[in-house]
Amino acid sequence: SYELTQSPSVSVSPGQTASITCSGDNLGEKYISWYRQRPGQSPLLVLYQDVKRPSGIPERLSGSNSRNTATLTISGAETMDEAVYYCQAWHFNKVIFGGGTELTV
Amino acid sequence: QVQLQESGPGLMKPSETLSLTCTVSGGPLSTYYWSWLRQPAGKGLEWIGRIYINGNTKYNPSLKSRVTMSVDSSKNHFSLKLSSLTAADTAVYYCAREVCPTQGGFFESWGQGTLVTVSS
């Protein structure tokens, strides 16, 4: 079965750039979405169709997707960015989520 | 801005059938796909399935034999039934609105989630 693989955790200092990756076979051929989930909250869409930001999501969040890896990049990380981030894609009529990456700032 | 609110029992017994409803406000059910997802405590997200206003459904193959979804446009809500419950079905259940299903569908709006515990 198709899997999306994420590192369990990423840690950066405030102001640094955080890169959260999501890997899967030929992932670059799919659209990837990213969600942020803070403790006790519902997931929040932060990127869709690889690179697009919903209204209200700051420009310092950006994305890329090529070959087998999609990346969510958070520039100038802030403590408010601390959360678990999930990638998501469709694969043959099924939604797949990555296991989540916990970002510590 | 659309809002989604899940409702249903918080405690179920093994072998019972769970029924949850998601009430949508601030927008119509039409032109969108509506999904159920769940998340066991401390774990990741799992998609259960989705339904369109015309009743067309798509379910996660791993749950398909136990899942039924329905939609009631007159009440602006959609529902989930999950049968033959076990402790493994204990999770927070979310409803969500899916956008752009043919171009990398994604979930732009989520309910607050409802905890369902399966225990004898």
Side-chain angles (χ1 to χ4, degrees):
Chain A
S1 62
Y2 194 84
E3 293 184 354
L4 296 177
T5 302
Q6 297 182 242
S7 297
S9 62
V10 168
S11 180
V12 296
S13 299
Q16 288 189 330
T17 296
S19 294
I20 298 172
T21 60
C22 174
S23 62
D25 289 342
N26 299 313
L27 193 56
E29 298 176 1
K30 306 178 187 298
Y31 277 126
I32 293 297
S33 302
W34 291 92
Y35 302 85
R36 179 185 74 202
Q37 188 176 33
R38 293 173 175 150
Q41 295 185 11
S42 304
L44 175 73
L45 179 72
V46 295
L47 284 180
Y48 64 96
Q49 292 176 347
D50 298 339
V51 300
K52 298 179 180 179
R53 285 184 306 276
S55 174
I57 301 301
E59 292 183 4
R60 57 193 186 78
L61 273 69
S62 61
S64 65
N65 185 16
S66 179
R67 294 187 180 181
N68 299 314
T69 302
T71 303
L72 167 64
T73 301
I74 303 174
S75 303
E78 303 176 3
T79 54
M80 64 181 293
D81 297 320
E82 286 199 336
V84 178
Y85 290 82
Y86 294 95
C87 58
Q88 173 252 313
W90 275 88
H91 178 72
F92 287 119
N93 294 321
K94 178 182 174 181
V95 173
I96 306 291
F97 285 93
T101 297
E102 182 175 18
L103 174 64
T104 302
V105 180
Chain B
Q1 182 178 357
V2 69
Q3 292 188 323
L4 297 86
Q5 178 67 59
E6 305 89 351
S7 59
L11 181 62
M12 301 290 296
K13 288 182 167 47
S15 80
E16 289 185 332
T17 295
L18 172 67
S19 292
L20 295 176
T21 295
C22 180
T23 301
V24 179
S25 58
L29 287 183
S30 57
T31 74
Y32 292 101
Y33 286 81
W34 303 92
S35 277
W36 287 97
L37 306 97
R38 68 182 183 178
Q39 184 175 36
K43 297 188 178 180
L45 297 162
E46 179 180 33
W47 176 74
I48 300 171
R50 78 176 189 197
I51 189 166
Y52 191 61
I53 188 65
N54 63 4
N56 283 349
T57 56
K58 196 181 296 292
Y59 300 142
N60 186 327
S62 67
L63 297 169
K64 185 175 182 178
S65 63
R66 299 195 292 133
V67 172
T68 303
M69 293 184 183
S70 60
V71 61
D72 187 337
S73 58
S74 68
K75 297 181 180 178
N76 233 45
H77 75 208
F78 61 104
S79 300
L80 166 71
K81 289 188 186 297
L82 181 64
S83 64
S84 304
L85 293 174
T86 70
D89 294 310
T90 295
V92 174
Y93 285 73
Y94 295 101
C95 57
R97 186 171 81 174
E98 182 187 353
V99 181
C100 295
T102 60
Q103 295 182 348
F106 51 91
F107 305 101
E108 65 163 9
S109 300
W110 296 66
Q112 66 182 28
T114 186
L115 174 62
V116 175
T117 302
V118 181
S119 174
S120 55

